[in-house]
Amino acid sequence: MNTFVVLVEDHPGVLTRVSGLIRRRGFNIDSITVGHTETAGVSRMTIAVEADEFGARRIEANLYKLIEVLRVDNVTRRPSIFRELCILKVKTTPETRAQIFQLASVYRARIIDVSPESLVIEITGNEDKVQSLIDVLDPYGIVEMARTGRLAMLRGTGTASKPPEDEQDFGAAKAEEDLISHSV
Amino acid sequence: MKKTGAQILWESLVREGVTCVFGYPGGAILPAYDAMLDYPIRHILVRHEQGATHMADGYARATGQVGVAIATSGPGATNMVTGIATAMMDSVPIVCITGQVGSKAIGSDAFQETDITGITLPVTKHNYLVTRPEDVARVVREAFYVARSGRPGPVLIDITKDCQQSSCEFVWPDAPKLRGYRPSHTPSSREVEQALDLIHSAKRPIILAGRGIQLSNAREAVLKFAEQANVPIATTLLGLGAIPASHPLNLGMMGMHGEAWVNTAIQEADLLLAFGMRFDDRVTGNVKTYAPNAKKIHIDIDPAELNKNVRVDVGLIGDLRETLEGLLPRIEACDRTDWVSYISMLKGDSAVRDIQNLPDNGHLYAAHVINDLWRETRDRETIVVTDVGQHQMWEAQYYKHEEPRSLITSGGLGTMGFALPAAIGAKVARPDAEVWVVVGDGGFQMTMCELATIAQEGIDINIAIINNGFLGMVRQWQEFFYERRYAATPLVNPDFCKLTESFGLKAMRVETRGDVVPAVREARRHQGTVLIDFRVEQEDSVYPMVPAGNDLHNMIRRPSAIVETGADA
């Protein structure tokens, strides 16, 4: 699975352009999340796509063909933090409530709503952790579930979240500085 | 001074150097048509919006300038999609302008509403929906910049009716600044060094010359490179004319209907130099067995083309002419006499099978028609515009193109119905040049309504229908691969001569080889458009042929039976 962090102009229809481009090049999008960034007018997408190394390079190069795409980083093989948020509604009875509370605390999940017959639990973490909690709670009966999909950020001081800085350099790319991998 | 969105549109187009547009009016674009009368713009009224896009395309291919097509919303806009996709596949700079329903009505399934920006998303380089007159000038400026820069392509501008009608202050914006758009690239020095090493150590190199040569005006640079390093050149279909057919290093066309010696040379090469081409499957055949012993160097302006179809050893991303000019001072002279003479030996074997070497057996073959047309029109600059199918391949094989932009053909998308309207666009762009349409009887009927445009606008071109009464290329596939079961390929045609005459144009019919030259001469003498209906052998096939997906060197050769009997086997 490849994870791309993509910075785009915050224009209507950009999500369609990006997702449509990846789909029509024959790749399936596993997860896509979009939100604002610290820079006004720039949105950040985290896109998870199943592809081999060549496929990942093709996706990256093709994304750069979109005029509204400012920057693409494939963070898959770089030290990165992956997170998603999941909200679960689980059936409870007076007998099971305490057990579920206990499981939630093992996963450092939070109980955000309580009713006589159900609990709503919020968890953040990488997909494995989220999936693990889901598997554990499944026997109690999951009534409803909402997941955000993957978010990614590089560890340390490196960023994938700055649009190109030099205003003068718009429209030209030198291979040395270029983020696209050219040769095999 | 305040102007309406419609006025700003034309003002901006004029400032972009547009003198002619191809279009068809309708409700949602009416304000723009009304304003057009006050601007120095020639408008060619087409008979179908697909024709308008192909005309803009032909205009752009003939000159390198941006062609412009205009249509109304809904059906007008959707009729343009084929022409836009054609331009996208062949990297042709066109700008298509469509009317859109009022911005308040968008999304209500209003009369003649379609989401044309949504529909054309995959087949445009970029597209715009404009709803405020304040945005019109900037968008037009950006659209032309995007269409013509980097790897060229089609851009669509959809303008709502209320945007055309309402007014604002006209401001011509500064040069566009698009921070996410990178039209120019420079190859890295490391990759240049790797490329030079491969070039100098190669024993059997071959240049694969594509349309990028025409797009970056790299003809001189390619020839210098080839001569300096002594490397033979094979061209793609869209690369024909990019370098002179008569150049001693030019082998001719490669690929599915390329000559056998060209494909064999590619398969036996130890280095492929891909210049502005994209390893289309019609060029490579089976990629698993394609040029198995060759290192590959790919020069292209579009980073997404590298390693797309064929994995390359070195990729140089940049403008072809600039990149080659950077390499040239460092290209050492190499002696490749053995390699070049080996290819000549292969060529000798193929030439003996060529239909042109046969005595006249009374039958009219398409190859004869094309060859005679070439001989007759060599004396002046001629643009040949072809449609798609057998005649297109015969044209590519038998018409010897010396000049860039002298062959206009739909390569990537293979759009039937392209030729007639594209030729109109080419003639409007280059009134000085002689323009010939070479078209099959099938494709001609897809856009033959544009004969009316020719008549109304007084366009002077000549049309050669290669009429074999079949959808010939499909019939050929049925013959080779479907046991001659001719499902839906025989055509019942109209009388093309009477049809042409009904538009007030001249027409002739030719049925024997001896009548080809007199008819061509007559058409060239005649002022105005002439159509010649060439009745050729019905079940003739295009040879050589690499069946789709086969190895490039496993070709169906020209049947030797032709050589022995002088008749089609």
Side-chain angles (χ1 to χ4, degrees), chain A residues 16-17, chain B residues 100 114-124 127 129 156 158:
Chain A
T16 316
R17 285 185 198 275
Chain B
Q100 181 56 277
T114 58
D115 171 19
I116 195 62
T117 45
I119 289 170
T120 58
L121 215 56
V123 291
T124 48
N127 64 22
L129 169 62
L156 179 129
D158 196 27

Side-chain angles (χ1 to χ4, degrees), chain A residues 11-174:
Chain A
H11 291 171
V14 171
L15 177 61
T16 316
R17 285 185 198 275
V18 169
S19 58
L21 178 136
I22 295 172
R23 180 197 57 78
R24 76 172 180 270
R25 292 290 174 187
F27 300 98
N28 183 49
I29 297 173
D30 209 64
S31 152
I32 186 164
T33 65
V34 197
H36 296 297
T37 62
E38 71 284 4
T39 313
V42 176
S43 290
R44 178 184 178 121
M45 297 182 180
T46 308
I47 308 171
V49 189
E50 192 69 64
D52 63 10
E53 189 189 341
F54 283 95
R57 286 183 186 181
R58 276 190 64 204
I59 291 168
E60 192 175 339
N62 274 287
L63 284 172
Y64 271 117
K65 292 174 85 154
L66 296 177
I67 282 150
E68 285 148 326
V69 168
L70 305 175
R71 179 169 173 175
V72 183
D73 279 277
N74 185 346
V75 300
T76 314
R77 280 171 204 82
R78 299 165 69 185
S80 310
I81 302 153
F82 298 110
R83 285 290 181 276
E84 75 171 298
L85 168 68
C86 177
I87 305 175
L88 294 136
K89 189 176 288 175
V90 190
K91 264 189 219 159
T92 54
T93 61
E95 293 77 48
T96 62
R97 183 172 289 130
Q99 295 170 17
I100 294 172
F101 263 82
Q102 204 170 9
L103 285 170
S105 82
V106 169
Y107 281 85
R108 294 203 183 85
R110 298 202 300 151
I111 312 295
I112 54 177
D113 188 57
V114 182
S115 72
E117 286 163 2
S118 70
L119 283 173
V120 179
I121 302 172
E122 172 195 310
I123 179 169
T124 55
N126 61 30
E127 287 97 331
D128 287 349
K129 180 181 166 188
V130 171
Q131 191 57 49
S132 174
L133 176 66
I134 292 166
D135 293 344
V136 168
L137 293 179
D138 196 44
Y140 297 97
I142 294 172
V143 182
E144 196 177 352
M145 183 171 88
R147 295 175 77 165
T148 59
R150 184 183 295 183
L151 285 177
M153 187 170 285
L154 291 176
R155 290 185 185 276
T157 48
T159 67
S161 71
K162 295 285 180 235
E165 271 173 26
D166 185 0
E167 295 268 336
Q168 299 306 312
D169 205 34
F170 285 172
K174 273 206 167 19

Side-chain angles (χ1 to χ4, degrees), chain A residues 9 16-17 24-25 40-42 52 54 58 61-62 64-70 163-164 170-176 178-180 182-184, chain B residues 121-122 125-127 146 151 177-189 191 194 302-308 311-315 317:
Chain A
E9 301 272 12
T16 316
R17 285 185 198 275
R24 76 172 180 270
R25 292 290 174 187
V42 176
D52 63 10
F54 283 95
R58 276 190 64 204
N62 274 287
Y64 271 117
K65 292 174 85 154
L66 296 177
I67 282 150
E68 285 148 326
V69 168
L70 305 175
F170 285 172
K174 273 206 167 19
E176 271 92 350
D178 209 337
L179 302 159
I180 304 162
H182 296 165
S183 302
V184 178
Chain B
L121 215 56
K125 190 172 170 190
H126 193 57
N127 64 22
V146 169
R151 179 181 182 172
K177 273 192 179 165
L178 297 163
R179 54 181 174 171
Y181 181 51
R182 303 164 171 229
S184 53
H185 298 267
T186 319
S188 77
S189 43
E191 283 153 347
Q194 289 174 344
D302 180 356
E305 283 304 330
L306 266 72
N307 296 311
K308 184 179 80 175
R311 293 186 183 182
V312 298
D313 298 276
V314 179
I317 299 181

Side-chain angles (χ1 to χ4, degrees), chain B residues 326-540:
Chain B
L327 290 176
L328 276 175
R330 303 190 54 197
I331 298 293
E332 293 157 17
C334 304
D335 176 33
R336 326 246 198 223
T337 320
D338 287 354
W339 173 230
V340 174
S341 56
Y342 172 67
I343 297 172
S344 304
M345 188 268 288
L346 295 172
K347 184 173 181 173
D349 165 51
S350 286
V352 82
R353 300 158 180 257
D354 197 307
I355 198 163
Q356 292 302 327
N357 298 322
L358 303 178
D360 186 357
N361 61 3
H363 296 257
L364 180 58
Y365 289 95
H368 296 146
V369 176
I370 304 292
N371 199 255
D372 285 351
L373 180 65
W374 165 61
R375 286 176 195 285
E376 287 300 306
T377 55
R378 275 197 301 187
D379 58 337
R380 66 171 290 200
E381 192 162 1
T382 304
I383 298 174
V384 181
V385 187
T386 83
D387 215 70
V388 171
Q390 284 186 318
H391 71 275
Q392 179 189 32
M393 292 301 125
W394 281 314
E395 203 282 348
Q397 291 176 340
Y398 292 101
Y399 200 102
K400 307 298 175 195
H401 289 276
E402 296 292 317
E403 295 300 322
R405 304 188 182 281
S406 65
L407 168 63
I408 292 177
T409 190
S410 165
L413 197 67
T415 309
M416 285 175 72
F418 172 81
L420 186 64
I424 295 172
K427 183 66 183 181
V428 169
R430 298 274 311 278
D432 53 304
E434 183 169 334
V435 175
W436 277 83
V437 177
V438 175
V439 61
D441 42 337
F444 182 71
Q445 292 180 71
M446 285 195 174
T447 51
M448 66 185 174
C449 55
E450 303 304 341
L451 284 173
T453 305
I454 289 174
Q456 180 164 349
E457 301 291 335
I459 308 281
D460 182 4
I461 60 177
N462 291 314
I463 303 162
I465 297 194
I466 308 299
N467 183 349
N468 57 11
F470 274 106
L471 296 174
M473 190 59 96
V474 186
R475 184 211 58 76
Q476 175 171 338
W477 284 47
Q478 289 169 333
E479 177 188 332
F480 289 2
F481 314 118
Y482 295 86
E483 298 165 343
R484 288 184 187 253
R485 287 152 60 87
Y486 291 166
T489 45
L491 290 170
V492 174
N493 289 329
D495 182 326
F496 290 119
C497 292
K498 279 188 183 164
L499 178 89
T500 305
E501 284 158 2
S502 77
F503 292 100
L505 306 170
K506 187 177 166 68
M508 290 180 269
R509 177 163 299 131
V510 170
E511 286 166 318
T512 63
R513 189 174 179 184
D515 291 336
V516 174
V517 169
V520 169
R521 288 184 181 164
E522 170 71 18
R524 298 184 81 209
R525 268 196 305 274
H526 181 79
Q527 287 279 322
T529 291
V530 178
L531 177 142
I532 312 175
D533 179 16
F534 289 103
R535 296 292 183 90
V536 300
E537 267 307 299
Q538 288 213 305
E539 297 191 52
D540 191 12

Side-chain angles (χ1 to χ4, degrees), chain B residues 274-286:
Chain B
F275 290 174
M277 57 83 74
R278 58 189 183 84
F279 294 106
D280 185 274
D281 54 273
R282 287 295 192 261
V283 153
T284 61
N286 181 358

